[in-house]
Amino acid sequence: MNMVSCHDAQEELQEFQEGSRELEAELEAQLGQAEHRIRDLQSENQRLKSEVDTLKEKLEQQYMQSYKQISMLEDDLVQTRGIKEQLHKYVRELEQANDDLERAKRATITSLEDFEQRLNQAIERNAFLESELDEKESLLVSVQRLKDEARDLRQELAVRERTSDVARMSAPSSPTLDIDKTDSAVQASLSLPATPVGKNMEHPFIASKALTNGCGNSPLTPSARISALNIVGDLLRKVGVKCHVNT
């Protein structure tokens, strides 16, 4: 009985040992597979770490490039805003300058119209002065003619006075003759046309003709010529005063 039990125990021990060896071999095989799997996973992990590091570097580079681009874009934006503000300011200045030019243009047009008006007035005044100058020249010619006529009248009067003195000395004077001469002189003086100052100034030729032909077509007596000379003297003085005032 003991022998059988020992024999069974040995068989069980052998079976247990064989099972243990098989289990050990199987475990060693699984361990080898596990180690191989671990090595594969480690290599894969290392590879993934390398890829992660590469991606991190690329990401950092991309981030740095993006940051630089963003900084450049921000700088460009600031510069663009500054240029925009300068352009707005320049546009406002141009509008202000345009308004100033418009006002200056209107003022220039107004000044030009005023200048044209004053120029036209000056031209009219110049034409009027030229006409007055022509009239003055005609008056000077008339004055010179009157002076010449007055000189001739004075010479003729001197000759008549010398002739009358000689006749008076050769023959006795007659009261009736003197009265007739006085009447004729008065009539000659009264027959001279009245010539106001303004009319004499405007029509010197009429005045001279009236002086030379005062008594119609009959020759003047010495008294009438004296009166005519006095009138001519007055006219000469008045014409001289007007010429002096015009100059």
Side-chain angles (χ1 to χ4, degrees):
M1 184 77 181
N2 289 327
M3 291 293 291
V4 173
S5 299
C6 182
H7 182 71
D8 292 334
Q10 288 180 352
E11 287 180 358
E12 289 179 1
L13 179 62
Q14 288 177 357
E15 289 178 0
F16 177 77
Q17 288 178 350
E18 288 177 358
S20 296
R21 286 193 293 268
E22 290 177 359
L23 179 62
E24 184 179 0
E26 185 178 356
L27 290 174
E28 287 179 356
Q30 290 180 358
L31 180 62
Q33 291 178 356
E35 289 177 353
H36 182 70
R37 179 64 179 168
I38 288 170
R39 286 193 297 270
D40 291 338
L41 290 175
Q42 286 178 351
S43 63
E44 183 70 18
N45 187 18
Q46 189 67 32
R47 186 180 65 79
L48 291 175
K49 284 182 179 180
S50 299
E51 290 181 357
V52 168
D53 293 335
T54 304
L55 290 175
K56 282 182 179 180
E57 291 177 357
K58 290 181 179 179
L59 182 62
E60 289 179 356
Q61 292 178 357
Q62 291 291 329
Y63 177 78
M64 293 298 295
Q65 291 178 357
S66 300
Y67 180 77
K68 290 180 179 179
Q69 290 179 355
I70 291 171
S71 299
M72 292 175 62
L73 290 174
E74 287 178 352
D75 294 336
D76 293 337
L77 181 61
V78 172
Q79 292 179 359
T80 304
R81 287 177 179 175
I83 293 171
K84 183 179 178 181
E85 291 178 357
Q86 290 179 357
L87 289 176
H88 281 300
K89 183 178 179 181
Y90 183 66
V91 168
R92 289 193 297 269
E93 290 177 354
L94 286 178
E95 291 177 353
Q96 184 67 32
N98 190 17
D99 295 335
D100 295 337
L101 288 175
E102 289 291 336
R103 287 193 295 271
K105 179 182 177 182
R106 290 193 293 270
T108 303
I109 292 173
T110 305
S111 300
L112 182 61
E113 291 176 353
D114 185 40
F115 178 74
E116 289 179 353
Q117 184 178 2
R118 287 186 294 175
L119 181 61
N120 293 328
Q121 292 176 357
I123 291 172
E124 293 177 357
R125 183 179 179 185
N126 191 16
F128 179 72
L129 291 175
E130 288 179 355
S131 64
E132 285 190 351
L133 184 60
D134 295 336
E135 184 180 358
K136 177 183 175 182
E137 291 178 354
S138 64
L139 287 175
L140 291 175
V141 173
S142 301
V143 167
Q144 186 63 36
R145 187 176 299 170
L146 289 174
K147 288 181 179 180
D148 295 336
E149 291 180 359
R151 186 180 62 252
D152 295 337
L153 288 174
R154 288 192 186 93
Q155 292 175 358
E156 186 178 354
L157 180 61
V159 172
R160 292 290 184 88
E161 286 179 353
R162 286 196 295 271
T163 305
S164 63
D165 290 338
V166 172
R168 195 178 297 111
M169 290 175 65
S170 62
S173 59
S174 175
T176 305
L177 183 59
D178 293 336
I179 293 171
D180 293 336
K181 288 182 179 180
T182 303
D183 293 336
S184 63
V186 172
Q187 290 176 0
S189 300
L190 293 174
S191 63
L192 289 174
T195 56
V197 176
K199 293 183 179 179
N200 285 331
M201 300 304 288
E202 295 177 357
H203 304 285
F205 297 103
I206 298 174
S208 62
K209 187 180 288 185
L211 290 175
T212 54
N213 298 325
C215 294
N217 294 324
S218 62
L220 296 175
T221 61
S223 299
R225 288 185 179 275
I226 292 171
S227 300
L229 285 174
N230 292 329
I231 295 172
V232 169
D234 293 335
L235 288 174
L236 290 176
R237 285 192 298 272
K238 292 174 180 177
V239 169
V241 170
K242 183 177 181 180
C243 292
H244 179 69
V245 170
N246 289 329
T247 57

